[in-house]
């Protein structure tokens, strides 16, 4: 079964600081890696995604950095705001052995941004 | 585009009862997924449909669970003889996938099940 390791489990950042969340995987059938943001009582919402024909993708304050050879990617939240306080999940496409057309999710990172 | 909707949003039931959840995907999305999420964990894949065909089921999906997507539009997930361990958030997601490519999945708000 595909393993997806996400770290840290929780993160506390001061307002205006940088939040960094990491994700490592084993194998995947497709090259498409999204990050989801989830608020309590809500479903996960797509935040940003990357296809690793590029090593970095930036959308506003959110950046994904991708290291294909290391099988790792990370989410950077610049100028973190209290409204960013949520749980963040990385998602990795399944491998050919684990089934392809689904995502394997990390265990999540609870981010709290202090005002 | 009204997003993925799920009904009910909350369900409390007694152990041994049957429950059924409904998911309406984004229109024209041909793939529909069911995930289960327990507190403090990421969503875990249960099953998915390509149009009306159920193409993959997780080992998490015991024989008490059944899912259907009869006309390739909405889907239902039924749990028979519920157990306390079934208490979780049940998430539905949909995507438009053509040509065998995995793309973004859009999630609904979930149905939170509590089995007493």
């Amino acid at each position: 079964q595909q393993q997806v390791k996400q770290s840290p489990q929780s993160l506390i950042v001061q307002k205006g600081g940088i939040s960094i969340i990491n994700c490592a995987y084993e194998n995947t059938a497709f090259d498409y890696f999204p990050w989801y943001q989830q608020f309590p009582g809500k479903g996960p919402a797509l935040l940003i995604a990357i296809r690793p024909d590029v090593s970095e993708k930036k959308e506003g304050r959110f950046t994904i950095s991708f290291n294909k050879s290391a099988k790792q990617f990370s989410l950077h939240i610049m100028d973190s705001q209290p409204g960013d306080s949520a749980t963040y999940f990385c998602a990795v496409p399944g491998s050919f052995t684990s089934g392809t057309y689904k995502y394997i999710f990390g265990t999540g990172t609870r981010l709290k941004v202090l005002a | 585009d009204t997003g993925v909707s799920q009904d009910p949003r909350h369900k409390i039931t007694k152990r041994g009862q049957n429950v059924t959840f409904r998911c309406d995907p984004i229109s024209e999305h041909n793939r529909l997924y069911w995930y289960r999420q327990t507190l403090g964990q990421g969503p875990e894949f249960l099953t998915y449909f390509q149009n009306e065909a159920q193409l993959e089921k997780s080992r998490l999906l015991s024989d008490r669970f059944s899912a259907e997507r009869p006309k390739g539009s909405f889907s239902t997930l039924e749990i028979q003889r519920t157990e306390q361990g079934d208490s979780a958030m049940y998430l539905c997601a949909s995507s438009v996938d053509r040509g065998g490519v995995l793309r973004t999945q859009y999630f609904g708000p979930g149905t939170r099940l509590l089995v007493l």
Side-chain angles (χ1 to χ4, degrees), chain A residues 12-96:
Chain A
I12 300 175
V13 175
Q14 293 287 338
K15 179 182 177 181
I18 302 173
S19 304
I20 302 174
I21 305 171
N22 303 298
C23 192
Y25 64 96
E26 295 180 341
N27 295 295
T28 181
F30 296 103
D31 286 341
Y32 183 76
F33 299 89
W35 283 94
Y36 284 85
Q37 179 188 56
Q38 186 175 30
F39 293 103
K42 307 290 186 182
L46 178 68
L47 186 64
I48 186 172
I50 191 170
R51 296 187 187 281
D53 50 351
V54 296
S55 60
E56 186 175 283
K57 181 176 180 180
K58 184 176 181 180
E59 289 184 358
R61 297 184 295 109
F62 302 95
T63 300
I64 296 181
S65 297
F66 193 90
N67 185 332
K68 188 171 183 177
S69 60
K71 297 183 180 179
Q72 295 177 349
F73 59 108
S74 60
L75 174 69
H76 296 235
I77 305 175
M78 312 299 287
D79 187 26
S80 299
Q81 299 296 311
D84 297 331
S85 297
T87 300
Y88 293 81
F89 295 97
C90 61
V92 176
S95 65
F96 283 112

Side-chain angles (χ1 to χ4, degrees), chain B residues 47-83:
Chain B
T47 188
Y48 93 93
F49 293 82
Q50 172 95 8
N51 299 312
E52 66 275 9
Q54 187 174 19
L55 296 186
E56 186 176 348
K57 293 191 289 187
S58 163
R59 284 172 290 181
L60 292 175
L61 213 66
S62 76
D63 56 7
R64 296 186 297 106
F65 288 70
S66 62
E68 295 182 343
R69 194 182 183 197
K71 296 183 179 179
S73 56
F74 73 92
S75 175
T76 58
L77 177 68
E78 181 183 17
I79 309 175
Q80 295 182 329
R81 305 180 304 280
T82 52
E83 302 173 355

